[in-house]
Structures are given as C-alpha cells and as structure tokens.
C-alpha cells in the first residue's frame, strides 16, 4: 500500500490531522493500536482554546460541539475559603469552551467514518523505516499478518508511550522533564456542576478543581500523594476531602453521587526536541506533556496539528517545504509558552511536600497579587484562552 502521510495514533491529534488533510485531498492512513471503543473510553480534560475550536470548524466537525458545549467567560480562583473571578471575556475579549475530549474524539471518529477515512485498528509492532530517505515506509502487524505502507511523511501522533519519539536516535533528541511530587485523583459523577464556571482551589490540604462536562455530568479533582491508590479512596472519602478544600459556599451546595469513573494520574512537564527528524513529525503527547492544571494538553496538540497541516498544504499545494522545514521551530516556540503557563498554574495552586513557610507566603502573595492586579489577571487570561498560533 502507498499513501502520502501515515499517521500513527488515532487519538485527537491523529484524527484531527487526518480529517483536515483528507478534506484538502491529501491521502492519509491512521494506524491505531487499540479499538475505537477503547480510545473513546479514555476520560481526559474538557477545555478547548479558540484555536482548537477554529480547527474543529475547519475540519467540519463543530456542529455537535456548537450545540452542546458550554461557553465560559472566565474561571474562579480560590484560596483558604476566599475566591475571586478572572474574567477572560472582559480582560482579553476571548472565551473558552467546555466540551469533553471524549466528545471531540467521538466527533472526529464519526467524521472519518463519514468520509471513509482509512483507519486501521488494533495494529501491533509498528516500525517506522528509512525516514532519512525519500522512500520512508511503515510496517505493522494485524490479525491478517505483516503489512507495509510506503509514504512521503509520517506523523507521530501516538502519545507519550508511542513508538514515534523513540524512533528518533537518542543522539539527535534532547528531552526536558519535570516530574511533580503529587498526582490528581479525579472523579466523574452524574451530578450537576457545583458552579457555572470552573473553580481552581489552593487550600492548606492541597489543590482541588471543580469542572464539568455538561449540566448533568461533573468532573472533580483533588491533589493526592503519588503513593495513593485509587482503591483506597471511597466515593465518600473523596467528597468529604473535596468539600474541605473548596470555599464553604461551594462545599455547601455540592451535589455528590456515585463516581462513574475514578482514577489517579501523575503530573509531569515534558518536551522533546526536535519535533521533526527526516520524514517524521511528532505531534501532541508524542512530543510533549503538560500538568493538566492549565488545561493545555489537547490544546497544545491542536497547535501542533495546525502547524503541520499548513506545512503539508504548502508542500503538496505549492511544492514549498518552508512550512514543514520550520515545523519544529514554530511548534516548540508555542509549546514552551504553554509549558511555562502550565508549570506556573501548578506551582501557584498546589501544596508541595518540601514547601517552607517562606514558600507558602510567596505563593499567597502571588495569589493576592493576581486577585488585586488587572495586569496579572490579563497575563493569566491571555495564556488560559490560548496564545495565538
Ligand atoms: N501504534 C499505534 N498507535 C499507538 C501506538 C503505536 N505504537 N502507541 C500509542 N498509540 C495510540 C494510542 O492508543 C492513542 O490512541 O496513539 C494514540 C495517542 O493518543 P493520545 O495519547 O490521546 O495523544 P494525542 O492524540 O496527542 O492527544 C493529546 O490526549 O492524553 C491526552 O492530555 C492529552 O489532551 C491531550 C491529548
Ligand atoms: C477537566 O474538566 O477535566 C479539566 C478542566 C480544567 C483543567 C484540567 C482538567 O485545568
């Protein structure tokens, strides 16, 4: 088989890139290790920046999102039972939307199916070959045996644990990593959200976040030690701890219920450079990871897709390789700013095991400055809604 772009990974990055390219007549094949249902079973974040919303529209998959999403003008920041709003709409005339990544992925799968997009599920042993030649090819195995696809380019959209990043020789790659000394215990519950906007809370007991998926589905998180096991947390224990960490008014109005999903995720910041090697382009979690505090995971994948999509359009449409040649440089310039913001939000809102009294007073001073200073809130708003592509 031959195609123009082999896309490894059928998560949001791979599906969005495939859908965008297909609509412009560029042929792709998506290779996905799992089944569609398995991919759709993953519970991930739910805040979309304006850039991601624009890409969903350009991909022709925005109809349900427009119908079902929440538009948020701002968010609530809370500390020690006090809270204040940061109003993105007022500060930077931009909003964010709340629409679960699961729904984004579902809409993209439906759209790929409608366009008869080529997706191979349950592939094993993907190997990317001859990337430094103009005869790159990918081999993989399915129940039908060994397969080979010859291609012009490979998009590595296979996430943090994928094969693409590892294909770049170690002496070419530079990896930057920061592992945080805590995790997030998350609960999904069929209960109404506690507030119409998100609440990010820094309490003496640790971080908490009140989020949502729709008017009947809420998503909550509390910071927990990395040694915690999810089975040690009953629903009641989770709700009691969440109430201790959010402002009294929210705790008093919180509607609790059985968790329909409960999990613990570690937090890390990670970037690999470069994001291109020969005919391979890394995209999304394959190249970088952010702590979820700034809601940047999906949105940084989106900006990678934007740069790669336009670079490939320029190559195939005008025979000009400037876009793909500058892909890594342009993607990384935006990625590092999102990494910084995600690190900043995490540092501001969490309690660290080794924090001294001085550290705590600095953290509090920053929260008070954010509460009182419009310029500080504008900087947060610019980053939260998404820096320009
Ligand atoms: N071969 C084929 N597919 C693979 C392989 C492989 N060797 N390794 C991983 N995959 C698949 C995974 O099964 C997954 O469906 O690649 C996909 C990668 O999807 P994601 O991990 O969701 O990464 P990405 O598409 O970049 O989306 C980033 O997902 O993890 C969140 O916070 C992150 O919101 C961000 C978004
Ligand atoms: C979520 O709704 O899952 C979510 C929202 C905002 C974040 C992280 C997670 O910063």
């Amino acid at each position: 088989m031959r195609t123009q772009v082999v896309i490894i990974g059928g998560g949001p990055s791979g599906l969005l890139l495939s859908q965008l390219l297909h609509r412009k007549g560029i042929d792709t094949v998506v290779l996905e290790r799992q089944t569609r249902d398995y991919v759709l079973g993953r519970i991930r974040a739910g805040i979309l920046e304006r850039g991601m919303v624009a890409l969903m529209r350009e991909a022709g998959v925005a109809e349900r999102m427009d119908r079902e999403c929440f538009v948020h003008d701002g968010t609530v920041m809370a500390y020690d039972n006090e809270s204040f709003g940061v109003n993105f709409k007022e500060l930077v005339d931009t909003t964010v939307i709340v629409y679960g990544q699961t729904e984004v992925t579902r809409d993209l799968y439906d759209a790929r199916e409608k366009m008869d997009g080529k997706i191979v599920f349950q592939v094993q042993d993907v190997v990317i070959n001859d990337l430094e030649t103009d005869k790159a090819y990918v081999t993989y195995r399915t129940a039908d045996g060994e397969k080979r696809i010859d291609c012009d380019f490979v998009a590595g959209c296979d996430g943090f644990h994928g094969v693409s990043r590892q294909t770049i020789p170690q002496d070419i790659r530079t990896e930057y990593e920061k592992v945080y000394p805590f995790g997030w215990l998350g609960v999904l519950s069929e209960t109404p959200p506690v507030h119409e906007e998100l609440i990010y809370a820094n309490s003496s007991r640790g971080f908490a976040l009140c989020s949502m998926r729709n008017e009947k589905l809420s998503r909550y998180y509390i910071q927990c030690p990395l040694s915690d096991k999810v089975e040690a947390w009953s629903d009641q224990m989770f709700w009691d701890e969440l109430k201790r960490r959010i402002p009294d008014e929210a705790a008093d109005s919180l509607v609790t219920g059985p968790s329909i999903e409960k999990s613990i995720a570690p937090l890390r910041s990670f970037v690999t450079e470069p994001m291109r090697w020969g005919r391979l382009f890394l995209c999304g979690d394959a190249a970088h990871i952010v702590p979820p505090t700034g809601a940047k995971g999906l949105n940084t994948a989106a900006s990678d897709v934007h740069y790669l999509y336009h670079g490939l359009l320029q190559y195939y449409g005008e025979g000009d390789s400037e876009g793909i040649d500058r892909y890594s440089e342009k993607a990384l310039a935006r990625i590092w700013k999102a990494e910084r913001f995600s690190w900043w939000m995490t540092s501001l809102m969490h309690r660290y095991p080794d924090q001294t009294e001085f550290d705590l007073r600095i953290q509090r001073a920053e929260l008070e400055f954010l509460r009182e200073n419009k310029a500080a809130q504008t900087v947060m708003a610019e980053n939260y809604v998404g820096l320009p592509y």
Side-chain angles (χ1 to χ4, degrees), residues 45-48 64-65 68-69 97-101 103-104 107:
I47 298 289
L48 305 190
R64 186 165 75 103
M65 179 185 74
E68 297 180 8
C69 75
I97 77 160
V98 177
Y99 189 65
Q101 181 174 313
E103 304 321 313
V104 167
D107 294 341

Side-chain angles (χ1 to χ4, degrees), residues 44-47 184 198 200 209 211-213 219 221 292-295:
R44 296 279 167 70
I47 298 289
W184 277 19
L198 273 58
Y200 289 87
L209 172 60
S211 185
M212 63 200 71
R213 292 292 176 270
R219 182 68 165 160
Y221 299 94
T293 326

Side-chain angles (χ1 to χ4, degrees), residues 30-270:
V30 175
L31 302 178
E32 168 52 51
R33 181 160 61 181
Q34 306 292 354
T35 63
R36 168 181 168 147
D37 286 347
Y38 184 95
V39 175
L40 290 174
R42 294 180 185 132
I43 302 295
R44 296 279 167 70
I47 298 289
L48 305 190
E49 291 176 357
R50 53 187 159 180
M52 175 60 177
V53 171
L55 280 171
M56 292 285 280
R57 294 199 205 293
E58 184 165 358
V61 294
E63 194 227 334
R64 186 165 75 103
M65 179 185 74
D66 286 337
R67 200 171 56 244
E68 297 180 8
C69 75
F70 286 155
V71 178
H72 279 194
D73 286 356
T75 192
V76 173
M77 305 289 281
Y79 59 102
D80 295 344
N81 215 26
E82 301 186 35
S83 63
F84 61 95
V86 179
N87 190 316
F88 314 138
K89 182 78 177 140
E90 281 175 12
L91 291 160
V92 295
D93 192 25
T94 306
T95 57
V96 291
I97 77 160
V98 177
Y99 189 65
Q101 181 174 313
T102 306
E103 304 321 313
V104 167
T105 311
R106 191 189 316 282
D107 294 341
L108 284 165
Y109 268 126
D110 291 347
R112 298 308 298 126
E113 211 165 284
K114 215 175 284 177
M115 286 189 73
D116 201 20
K118 291 192 278 301
I119 304 178
V120 184
F121 290 101
Q122 295 184 285
V123 301
Q124 300 295 322
D125 303 332
V126 169
V127 177
I128 311 166
N129 308 279
D130 292 359
L131 283 168
E132 291 196 288
T133 73
D134 58 0
K135 297 199 179 329
Y137 66 96
V138 177
T139 56
Y140 63 94
R141 191 166 44 80
T142 65
D144 301 342
E146 285 293 321
K147 306 286 182 187
R148 168 174 168 148
I149 307 180
D150 295 292
C151 56
D152 299 332
F153 301 106
V154 179
C157 301
D158 46 350
F160 187 65
H161 302 289
V163 66
S164 299
R165 184 175 72 251
Q166 307 300 335
T167 301
I168 301 178
Q170 281 198 313
D171 60 340
I172 304 281
R173 267 184 289 145
T174 304
E175 297 188 348
Y176 304 86
E177 184 171 52
K178 179 179 182 63
V179 178
Y180 296 86
F182 39 73
W184 277 19
L185 167 61
V187 157
L188 192 65
S189 59
E190 289 172 332
T191 53
V194 71
H195 189 74
E196 69 264 14
E197 291 182 335
L198 273 58
I199 301 175
Y200 289 87
N202 172 333
S203 86
S204 56
R205 300 177 66 89
F207 171 77
L209 172 60
C210 302
S211 185
M212 63 200 71
R213 292 292 176 270
N214 58 50
E215 62 277 3
K216 297 194 181 80
L217 196 57
S218 296
R219 182 68 165 160
Y220 295 102
Y221 299 94
I222 57 173
Q223 169 186 347
C224 67
L226 281 171
S227 55
D228 272 15
K229 300 283 180 256
V230 66
E231 50 273 4
W233 280 89
S234 69
D235 287 358
Q236 194 54 54
M237 286 168 69
F238 176 85
W239 295 122
D240 292 345
E241 186 59 34
L242 177 68
K243 287 180 179 178
R244 295 186 191 108
R245 299 190 186 189
I246 58 180
D248 292 345
E249 187 184 349
D252 294 345
S253 59
L254 180 71
V255 176
T256 64
S259 58
I260 57 174
E261 194 272 349
K262 185 160 48 180
S263 55
I264 292 179
L267 274 66
R268 83 174 73 237
S269 299
F270 175 88

Side-chain angles (χ1 to χ4, degrees), residues 337-349:
K337 296 182 181 76
E339 290 282 347
R340 183 210 66 81
F341 176 68
S342 304
W343 162 83
W344 172 78
M345 275 279 277
T346 304
S347 308
L348 181 67
M349 300 307 290

